[in-house]
Amino acid sequence: MAPFAGGAHYVQNIGDGTFFHSGSLAVRAAVAAGVDITYKLLYNDAVAMTGGQHAEGRIAVPELTRLLALEGYGG
C-alpha cells in the first residue's frame, strides 16, 4: 500500500490472534520493504475476526518482544 497511498507514516492495528496466524508475515514484509509503519499489537488472547477463539501458537508478551527485537524490529 505504501508506494500508492503517499503517506509518510502508517499505523496499523493487529490483534494477537491474527499476528500469530499470519500477521507476523505482514510485519516482516513491511520491514523488508522499508515501510515507515507502526504496528499496534492488541494482545487479548483471542481470534476476534472469527468469533473469539483462543489464539493458537501464542507466546507471552515478554517472549514476543524479545523475538521481535531479535528479528530487528523496533526503535
Side-chain angles (χ1 to χ4, degrees):
M1 176 179 100
F4 307 105
H9 181 80
Y10 300 93
V11 177
Q12 178 65 52
N13 294 325
I14 186 169
D16 58 337
T18 300
F19 178 83
F20 293 119
H21 178 267
S22 58
S24 63
L25 298 175
V27 174
R28 289 182 177 110
V31 170
V35 177
D36 186 11
I37 187 167
T38 299
Y39 279 95
K40 292 192 303 183
L41 183 56
L42 310 172
Y43 199 91
N44 64 357
D45 193 26
V47 182
M49 68 179 165
T50 57
Q53 297 89 353
H54 176 70
E56 294 298 327
R58 68 180 277 283
I59 57 177
V61 173
E63 287 81 13
L64 176 60
T65 58
R66 283 194 290 276
L67 174 66
L68 292 171
L70 285 170
E71 292 188 8
Y73 310 135

